[in-house]
Amino acid sequence: MKLDKEALPTARRVHQRGMTKKANWLAGPKVVGLIQTESILESTLAFCAMIDPRVQTIEPQPETFDLLSGKRYKSKDELLRAHSGGGYQPKPYTPDFRVQLHCGGERFLEAKHQRFLEEKPEYLAYPGIFLELGLKLVLVTDELLQGPLEYNARLLKPNLNNQLPPAVANSFASITDEAVEFRKLLQSFSQREILTAILQGLFAVDLVGSRIGPKTMLTCAGGEKQHLEVLAL
């Protein structure tokens, strides 16, 4: 099912026939149209890529690899058709996402529960296979994507396109304290403005360690955005 005609085609059906998973539809910066993910974990990974300043574009289910030959195909169906009727049995694999980086490189991302990897440890070999092809596949588990990061990424993502008025940006820049409590800033600024300032690197916060809330301490960052780089790209 393709809900959005503007969205890029995927290399395989997002939900296989017979599966009862609830579809997750999401839109935002760095993706074309409305895209479908097959789990909350996968959606959270997309949000993390959206807020990451290194990422330029995000493409879901971008292409299918034959892990035995290393060849790339536009879709899983194309791979299977290419070997239909022959004796060769390919090993299809379609990563969750491909991200293009501002530096010009590309990365493939896969979200998996740690328990899934323990049950199917062969997936742990996939990054090594990609490395042999001159590519990088990043496996990201629930150990990172669940908990505070899930909350924080979803909280920040709607503010990615916001622009701070010059007067507000100057007021943030004039703060001389090395760190300031979130609720103290709320006395002078809106939550939307504070979250936008975090995305713009005016303040840094630990996105993995704890949820952003009234007691969160924000560190003045001077425009640096490394705190948003939570993925091992």
Side-chain angles (χ1 to χ4, degrees):
M1 177 181 177
K2 189 177 179 184
L3 187 65
D4 185 354
K5 64 181 181 180
E6 300 297 328
L8 296 174
T10 56
R12 68 169 175 83
R13 184 188 297 272
V14 176
H15 284 176
Q16 304 296 328
R17 294 185 184 276
M19 293 181 69
T20 58
K21 291 182 179 179
K22 182 179 179 181
N24 296 280
W25 299 95
L26 60 93
K30 306 180 185 181
V31 302
V32 177
L34 190 65
I35 65 172
Q36 184 181 12
T37 60
E38 57 189 9
S39 70
I40 293 176
L41 201 69
E42 192 176 310
S43 297
T44 301
L45 177 56
F47 292 139
C48 290
M50 286 181 190
I51 68 173
D52 193 311
R54 298 169 294 177
V55 175
Q56 185 174 35
T57 61
I58 305 166
E59 184 182 352
Q61 310 289 341
E63 55 187 336
T64 295
F65 291 81
D66 176 8
L67 294 181
L68 298 181
S69 69
K71 293 183 178 180
R72 302 162 76 159
Y73 296 82
K74 291 182 179 180
S75 69
K76 183 178 179 180
D77 287 343
E78 180 182 283
L79 166 59
L80 296 178
R81 285 197 302 270
H83 300 285
S84 177
Y88 177 74
Q89 293 294 322
K91 188 175 183 179
Y93 168 64
T94 306
D96 289 334
F97 300 102
R98 172 172 53 204
V99 298
Q100 298 289 343
L101 307 180
H102 285 286
C103 68
E106 68 175 356
R107 300 289 187 269
F108 294 91
L109 307 179
E110 180 77 26
K112 283 284 183 282
H113 283 274
Q114 187 63 38
R115 187 173 63 180
F116 176 90
L117 295 177
E118 292 170 358
E119 294 174 352
K120 296 186 177 181
E122 62 268 23
Y123 274 81
L124 296 173
Y126 287 10
I129 295 174
F130 269 63
L131 193 60
E132 292 177 359
L133 300 175
L135 303 170
K136 184 170 183 178
L137 171 68
V138 181
L139 288 178
V140 191
T141 73
D142 53 307
E143 292 182 349
L144 176 68
L145 296 175
Q146 289 185 338
L149 180 58
E150 177 183 352
Y151 176 86
N152 292 333
R154 291 169 183 269
L155 180 68
L156 289 168
K157 178 258 181 183
N159 300 280
L160 277 166
N161 288 330
N162 294 349
Q163 296 296 324
L164 291 175
V168 174
N170 289 336
S171 295
F172 280 131
S174 67
I175 295 175
T176 58
D177 296 339
E178 183 176 339
V180 60
E181 201 171 26
F182 195 103
R183 61 184 171 188
K184 181 178 179 180
L185 290 176
L186 284 173
Q187 296 173 8
S188 304
F189 305 97
S190 69
Q191 175 171 296
R192 178 177 180 271
E193 290 171 334
I194 300 170
L195 295 176
T196 301
I198 293 173
L199 288 166
Q200 294 184 359
L202 298 178
F203 297 104
V205 64
D206 180 7
L207 298 180
V208 178
S210 60
R211 288 189 175 195
I212 296 174
K215 296 182 180 180
T216 298
M217 296 301 296
L218 307 182
T219 304
C220 292
E224 297 294 332
K225 300 181 180 179
Q226 287 92 338
H227 61 284
L228 302 173
E229 300 176 1
V230 296
L231 302 175
L233 301 181

